């Protein structure tokens, strides 16, 4: 029952399923709880796309996470397909990245239950996302919302992922995943890889346009985010209305969260070659109106090719459904192998 002595363990026996692997494996998910936003794109999706050749990639439309808060059934189905199409339109290449729908793989829910039984409720009580999503009336929040972090741990551990590329808001959940993996390994013997969060600092936390103290979320109100499918006119209008402050200079100053956030978006969607000093110099002596106009055009230019590919991809819904079925088939053996091992370790009859 005790874990192998740390001093004797090698990289191979600590990571039983990585011994044969040449590349590290990453897993990440995104919920079909609305249309993905610039926050999702900047904090997560663009990194998934840019780093596809560095890793073994598994990406998931996490519909079971979406239903932790009320969803309209028809809308949910639509959002799941829309999200998958937008990921591919953003550059996720099905040849290099497995992309599938969470509920197509029953192993996620099954592993969640087993992990539930080794996760102390005290750990869940510390999760800040539950507190913010449950709102005032915590008793009315679903048990699923409370258990969301354990489902997320199961998503990641099922594939023995080494890394989890996410935005800053998911840091705590990945830490919990490590704790759960560690607790399981300690009690039942080495089973899971302990994954680490991969968080690229710039743009890891894009804030809401109407309130720079809250993060931008696809489930927020319409004026708070820019969705990847927003038409140019809507983008211009939302940016024009975005909160600023009563100062005049356009500089990266974290003490001025509204303008800092807009500049961060501007920087993230640029060529990557500009320094912050160059951006500040570009807008020296100019007003918010001019800066916002330039920002809006940069966003419009960034989403235009994504929107164009989205239209092409969704012309025939079968193409997308086939792609998602192939993604699930690709990852199924891995999930089955882990679940079999877990059930055996726990002592479930097989
Ligand atoms: P929801 O409101 O339904 O939780 P969301 O916008 O938070 O939606 P998720 O599906 O929860 O999106 O997260 C998908 C990915 O996007 C995660 O890696 C998350 O860390 C990242 N992400 C979400 N919001 C932001 C943001 N404002 N800035 C940077 N990254 C973000
Ligand atoms: Mg979220």
């Amino acid at each position: 029952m005790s874990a192998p002595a740390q001093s004797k363990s090698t990289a191979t026996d600590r990571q039983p399923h990585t011994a044969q692997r040449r590349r590290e494996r990453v897993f990440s998910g995104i919920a079909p709880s609305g249309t993905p936003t610039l926050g999702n794109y900047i904090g997560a999706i663009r990194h998934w796309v840019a780093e596809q050749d560095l890793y073994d990639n598994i990406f998931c439309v996490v519909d079971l996470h979406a239903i932790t808060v009320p969803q309209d059934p028809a809308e949910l189905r639509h959002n799941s397909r829309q999200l998958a199409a937008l990921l591919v339109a953003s550059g996720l290449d099905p040849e290099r990245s497995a992309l599938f729908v969470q509920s197509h793989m029953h192993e996620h829910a099954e592993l969640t239950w087993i992990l539930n039984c080794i996760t102390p409720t005290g750990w869940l009580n510390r999760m800040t996302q539950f507190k913010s999503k449950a709102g005032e009336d915590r008793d009315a929040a679903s048990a699923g919302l409370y258990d969301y972090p354990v489902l997320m741990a199961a998503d990641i551990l099922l594939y023995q992922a080494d890394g989890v590329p996410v935005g800053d808001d998911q840091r705590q959940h990945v830490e919990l995943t490590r704790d759960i993996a560690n607790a399981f390994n300690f009690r039942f013997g080495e089973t899971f890889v302990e994954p680490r969060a991969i968080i690229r600092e710039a743009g890891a936390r894009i804030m809401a346009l109407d309130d720079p103290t809250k993060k931008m979320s696809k489930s927020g109100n319409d004026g708070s985010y820019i969705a990847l499918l927003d038409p140019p006119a809507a983008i211009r209008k939302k940016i024009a209305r975005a909160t600023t402050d009563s100062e005049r200079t356009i500089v990266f100053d974290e003490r001025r969260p509204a303008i800092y956030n807009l500049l961060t978006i501007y920087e993230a969607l640029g060529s990557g070659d500009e320094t912050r000093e160059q951006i500040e110099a570009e807008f020296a002596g100019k007003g918010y109106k001019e800066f916002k106009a330039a920002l809006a055009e940069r966003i419009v230019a960034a989403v235009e090719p994504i929107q164009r590919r989205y239209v092409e991809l969704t012309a025939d819904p079968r193409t997308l459904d086939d792609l998602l079925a192939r993604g699930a088939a690709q990852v199924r053996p891995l999930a089955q192998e882990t679940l079999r091992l877990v059930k055996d370790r726990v002592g479930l009859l097989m």
Side-chain angles (χ1 to χ4, degrees):
M1 277 277 278
S2 66
Q6 282 301 312
S7 57
K8 281 191 192 155
S9 69
T10 63
T12 314
D13 64 34
R14 265 187 282 118
Q15 304 196 335
H17 298 270
T18 54
Q20 303 301 317
R21 280 193 226 152
R22 264 176 284 132
R23 279 197 266 192
E24 283 200 308
R25 180 176 297 141
V26 294
F27 173 94
S28 207
I30 177 164
S33 44
T35 306
T37 70
L38 272 188
N40 302 133
Y41 181 75
I42 293 172
I45 300 169
R46 70 175 172 139
H47 300 303
W48 302 350
V49 169
E51 297 178 358
Q52 282 177 105
D53 289 329
L54 295 184
Y55 302 111
D56 242 356
N57 312 285
I58 305 180
F59 297 112
C60 188
V61 171
V62 291
D63 51 355
L64 299 177
H65 283 275
I67 60 168
T68 58
V69 295
Q71 303 288 346
D72 173 76
E75 215 170 294
L76 177 63
R77 250 187 297 276
H78 170 78
N79 284 343
S80 291
R81 285 207 179 89
Q82 182 195 71
L83 177 53
L86 276 171
L87 292 176
V88 177
S90 298
L92 264 205
D93 172 7
E95 297 298 319
R96 289 180 288 161
S97 300
L99 174 64
F100 69 101
V101 177
Q102 188 183 31
S103 64
H104 289 176
M105 300 281 300
H106 61 79
E107 288 84 355
H108 290 248
E110 242 178 299
L111 181 59
T112 300
W113 183 257
I114 297 172
L115 297 181
N116 274 337
C117 298
I118 64 146
T119 304
T121 51
W123 290 3
L124 298 183
N125 291 337
R126 291 205 299 267
M127 296 296 110
T128 56
Q129 179 177 285
F130 174 74
K131 289 172 194 161
S132 59
K133 284 204 174 183
E136 296 287 290
D137 190 0
R138 215 168 274 179
D139 285 351
S142 71
L145 187 67
Y146 182 66
D147 202 36
Y148 182 116
V150 183
L151 177 59
M152 180 164 155
D155 298 340
I156 298 163
L157 299 180
L158 197 51
Y159 301 102
Q160 305 284 5
D162 304 285
V164 190
V166 283
D168 182 65
D169 62 304
Q170 293 301 323
R171 190 186 295 275
Q172 193 183 35
H173 288 161
V174 181
E175 279 306 309
L176 180 84
T177 301
R178 287 177 68 87
D179 290 342
I180 292 174
N182 191 35
F184 190 98
N185 289 348
F186 185 76
R187 185 153 152 201
F188 298 107
E190 291 298 314
T191 306
F192 293 121
V193 171
E194 276 177 49
R196 66 178 197 286
I198 301 174
I199 299 174
R200 306 286 175 224
E201 207 180 312
R205 196 173 189 86
I206 299 298
M207 308 310 281
L209 298 177
D210 59 347
D211 180 355
T213 66
K214 295 204 184 104
K215 90 165 186 77
M216 183 182 284
S217 293
K218 65 178 116 62
S219 57
N221 61 294
D222 192 54
S224 68
Y225 60 72
I226 290 187
L228 293 185
L229 289 176
D230 276 349
I235 293 173
R236 293 187 185 109
K237 196 157 124 193
K238 286 179 182 181
I239 291 296
R241 288 186 181 168
T243 305
T244 47
D245 55 32
S246 54
E247 295 189 45
R248 302 167 79 95
T249 51
I250 296 162
V251 290
F252 285 88
D253 179 352
E254 289 188 65
R255 289 164 304 181
R256 294 169 56 196
I259 190 73
Y260 185 83
N261 186 43
L262 296 181
L263 278 164
T264 302
I265 297 173
Y266 189 81
E267 179 188 30
L269 300 181
S271 63
D273 298 333
E274 308 158 303
T275 63
R276 289 189 164 188
E277 290 71 29
Q278 283 169 329
I279 294 173
E280 288 172 354
E282 187 184 344
F283 296 106
K286 295 187 178 156
Y288 285 157
K289 203 170 166 205
E290 263 172 292
F291 167 61
K292 282 180 159 182
L295 172 61
E297 292 323 304
R298 195 170 264 202
I299 298 170
V300 169
V303 300
E304 192 273 332
I306 298 174
Q307 297 185 352
R308 195 163 16 89
R309 285 193 294 268
Y310 173 81
V311 172
E312 289 162 13
L313 268 162
T314 47
D316 179 5
R318 267 179 318 177
T319 317
L320 197 68
D321 288 348
D322 288 351
L323 188 155
L324 292 170
R326 276 203 307 279
Q330 220 175 316
V331 298
R332 186 162 288 120
L334 262 174
Q336 288 175 336
E337 186 192 346
T338 306
L339 192 62
R340 213 179 297 124
L341 180 66
V342 167
K343 285 178 160 177
D344 183 50
R345 290 273 152 98
V346 171
L348 303 180
L349 270 186
M350 296 203 285

